Amino acid sequence: MTPAELSSTVLHAVRRAVDAGELDVTVPARAVVAPPGPGGCGDYATNIALQLAKPAGQPPYRVAEVLRPYLVGVDGVADVILTGPGFLNISLGGAAPAALVEEILSAGTRYGHADAPDAPDAPDAPDGSVVRLHCPHDLRAVVVADAVARVLRCQGALVRVTAEGFDREWTAALGVRVDGVGPAPVSPPVTVRPVPAPADPLPLGRDAARWALLHPAAHDRPRIGDEHLAQREGNPLFRVRYAHARSRALTRNAADLGFTAEPGPVPDAPQELLAALGDHPRVLAAAAAHRAPDRIARHLVAVADAALPFLPTVLPRGGEKPSAAHRARLALAEAAGTVLAGGLTLLGIDAPDHL
């Protein structure tokens, strides 16, 4: 069961409880599922009981108790444990990692995307209006606005970016674009005004410069220095791109050994990696909602750090022959590389196959 499917399962449980007369609420349009927080357990957790407590007129823990039986019996759900004030912690069956990997590989770098980007009828949110981003004549502001626009479009929004000033070299050097230059439009825009960079990032080159400007949160001052170019583990951008390049190398090496990826059970799969991959759609949605591409950058670092220790275990060793387990591990490695490539693309950063 994928995160999207689990979210639908949670909503179906709410609907069944309402139909049975155990809850008197309006079934929400969306149920958030995410890796468990501190004190949680299982594969995923949802705060749906806390969300419904007030309209139901019941304590959150009681709402969770009502919902639990409607989740436990569902195919793919192994167990549901209640923690804290009413969190539902859900453990999935053994096929969950394979289903997640299959979903990622099927969607490719569009995993986690919503409607077709910048489609004429693509909604911004409920009213389908255009998201208008406006920024000052500042390089970091333009880069952040460009990244926010990419993320919003991947979630189905129609976006227009304007700036008070724009230098042509920014397009050639960093790949940014704006749809208009001048004062803010008449309709109230979303102002993008991050803390400016303390130095010119252009000498770093496109990829390192964009990372230096996007990885820190908008309220943090970015560091502009050669550390973003360092080919070593201390550089987060290097770790992300290296993990992607290693996943692509594994695919090439496996082909030389005569086998390809095939999603399946991976008993020793790192739970941190599976959780990070499953969380990718939620991170993209949150980055769009909060206009915060830095969330994607930090998420990619988490994916890379969870993947790197796993990647050396993928290929057969010595005289070992390729097996179903190796094909499943390779599929998981390819899924990690796919998420990294997709996230880097949204940030406007190249994901090279060789590094």
Side-chain angles (χ1 to χ4, degrees):
M1 186 181 298
T2 66
E5 292 170 339
L6 180 57
S7 177
S8 297
T9 298
V10 171
L11 290 178
H12 184 61
V14 174
R15 190 170 295 109
R16 290 172 62 194
V18 170
D19 291 343
E22 296 190 69
L23 288 177
D24 182 13
V25 297
T26 299
V27 180
R30 181 168 176 257
V32 176
V33 296
C41 58
D43 297 300
Y44 294 98
T46 178
N47 66 347
I48 191 69
L50 284 73
Q51 179 182 341
L52 297 177
K54 185 175 181 179
Q58 300 185 44
Y61 200 88
R62 174 54 189 157
V63 175
E65 289 179 323
V66 170
L67 294 177
R68 184 181 181 278
Y70 293 102
L71 288 168
V72 170
V74 175
D75 289 342
V77 175
D79 195 11
V80 180
I81 296 174
L82 277 56
T83 60
F87 291 102
L88 291 154
N89 296 262
I90 304 169
S91 297
L92 302 179
L100 173 62
V101 169
E102 188 172 4
E103 180 187 9
I104 294 172
L105 295 182
S106 176
T109 55
R110 289 184 57 83
Y111 168 62
H113 289 211
D115 299 330
D118 228 2
D121 57 348
D124 163 34
D127 61 357
S129 60
V130 175
V131 181
R132 300 188 183 278
L133 304 175
H134 186 73
C135 51
H137 184 198
D138 171 72
L139 178 54
R140 189 187 184 199
V142 172
V143 170
V144 171
D146 178 77
V148 170
R150 291 168 185 253
V151 178
L152 284 166
R153 290 182 181 118
C154 94
Q155 295 300 297
L158 185 64
V159 187
R160 293 294 177 263
V161 180
T162 57
E164 293 175 10
F166 186 79
D167 294 349
R168 290 182 178 274
E169 67 171 336
W170 293 352
T171 296
L174 299 183
V176 294
R177 77 176 201 189
V178 297
D179 300 298
V181 179
V186 175
S187 58
V190 175
T191 301
V192 179
R193 195 182 295 274
V195 173
D200 182 7
L202 294 182
L204 295 176
R206 172 172 171 160
D207 294 333
R210 289 187 69 107
W211 181 269
L213 298 175
L214 294 173
H215 180 254
H219 58 267
D220 291 331
R221 185 174 298 278
R223 294 185 302 170
I224 307 300
D226 291 343
E227 65 269 21
H228 299 293
L229 300 173
Q231 302 290 295
R232 57 173 181 263
E233 290 185 359
N235 178 2
L237 174 59
F238 171 75
R239 296 203 303 276
V240 170
R241 300 175 85 194
Y242 179 68
H244 170 262
R246 286 292 303 133
S247 73
R248 301 302 301 148
L250 289 172
T251 299
R252 296 191 297 270
N253 294 338
D256 292 339
L257 295 174
F259 75 99
T260 57
E262 183 176 329
V266 183
D268 56 347
Q271 291 304 307
E272 298 85 355
L273 177 57
L274 294 174
L277 297 179
D279 203 32
H280 188 64
R282 183 195 65 80
V283 171
L284 296 189
H290 295 279
R291 317 314 194 220
D294 56 285
R295 295 187 178 209
I296 297 176
R298 291 193 297 273
H299 175 65
L300 295 181
V301 175
V303 172
D305 288 347
L308 284 169
F310 169 73
L311 297 181
T313 72
V314 170
L315 297 180
R317 298 181 180 181
E320 193 177 11
K321 294 186 178 296
S323 65
H326 294 112
R327 291 192 290 273
R329 290 194 189 103
L330 179 61
L332 177 55
E334 289 186 355
T338 297
V339 167
L340 294 172
L344 285 171
T345 299
L346 287 176
L347 297 179
I349 296 173
D350 185 37
D353 289 351
H354 301 270
L355 195 63

